[in-house]
Amino acid sequence: TDLEQEGFLYVDDSKRYVVCEKEHIYKCVYQAKTAKFGFGILDEQDDIYITRKESMGAMNGDEVLVKIILDEQHTAKSREGQVIRILKRNTKVMVGRYTKNRNFGFVEPIDTKMDDIYIPKKYASHVPDGKVVEVEILKYATPNSKAEGKIIQIIGDENTPNIEVK
């Protein structure tokens, strides 16, 4: 529903609607700081620390629902949270350096805040090792698997003039 998308209501594991704020759940924009952690940004002054393990594979700019992690006394653990739902993905393509293996490959993003993207052989058999490429994300990362993509364009290689700009 619209109220879910706007972050007012959340459907829990028992299929019941709960009011987000009463359950310490907040709609945020995920902002990666490194590949290991990021923050759920509520507004300019307020954010929630999120480890990679608790991010559900969220990427920079994704709109997410974050639940504040509580300790045994049910008090907030210094504003640490976990992503419980990704409401909207905002990263569709990325740029990085391709590493070719025998049956698959990986693209290491230029943006070091992102994890490697797995590339099945069928989506990159024509691409030489070491090229800088543009990748379309086909499957987003989960806590147990890397994101998967296909190479849509070869931009150049390390020696291409102004490769960072391109």
Side-chain angles (χ1 to χ4, degrees):
T1 69
D2 286 344
L3 290 174
E4 283 180 88
Q5 196 64 32
E6 291 170 21
F8 294 115
L9 295 177
Y10 171 69
V11 179
D12 66 13
D13 293 338
S14 304
K15 305 288 184 223
R16 291 178 299 163
Y17 283 97
V18 295
V19 177
C20 288
E21 206 164 311
K22 285 185 180 177
E23 297 294 319
H24 306 284
I25 297 170
Y26 302 95
K27 181 179 178 181
C28 304
V29 174
Y30 184 74
Q31 184 178 79
K33 288 297 182 187
T34 71
K36 297 186 188 293
F37 74 93
F39 292 93
I41 307 298
L42 290 162
D43 58 43
E44 290 177 8
Q45 261 91 61
D46 203 4
D47 55 38
I48 302 166
Y49 176 79
I50 302 166
T51 64
R52 177 181 173 190
K53 180 179 144 202
E54 301 292 353
S55 72
M56 275 186 80
M59 298 176 88
N60 212 23
D62 288 350
E63 292 177 21
V64 296
L65 280 184
V66 176
K67 183 175 177 83
I68 301 294
I69 296 174
L70 303 174
D71 63 19
E72 290 86 35
Q73 289 81 33
H74 302 293
T75 57
K77 228 168 87 176
S78 66
R79 301 291 279 176
E80 187 172 331
Q82 67 181 137
V83 175
I84 58 172
R85 177 165 296 149
I86 296 175
L87 299 172
K88 183 179 177 193
R89 293 284 191 175
N90 284 318
T91 302
K92 308 270 190 276
V93 296
M94 51 78 61
V95 174
R97 183 161 286 103
Y98 179 63
T99 300
K100 191 172 198 152
N101 288 324
R102 190 175 186 167
N103 295 316
F104 60 90
F106 282 97
V107 171
E108 182 182 342
I110 300 291
D111 181 352
T112 57
K113 297 172 189 157
M114 296 175 68
D115 272 342
D116 295 350
I117 308 289
Y118 169 76
I119 310 292
K121 186 177 184 177
K122 66 182 176 182
Y123 293 130
S125 58
H126 64 288
V127 180
D129 185 59
K131 291 291 185 183
V132 176
V133 297
E134 184 176 22
V135 175
E136 177 184 355
I137 297 171
L138 302 175
K139 292 182 188 168
Y140 289 93
T142 69
N144 303 319
S145 67
K146 289 191 174 284
E148 184 176 309
K150 74 176 181 178
I151 295 173
I152 53 177
Q153 178 182 343
I154 296 173
I155 297 173
D157 55 37
E158 292 176 356
N159 303 323
T160 303
N162 299 319
I163 192 69
E164 296 84 13
V165 175
K166 288 182 182 178

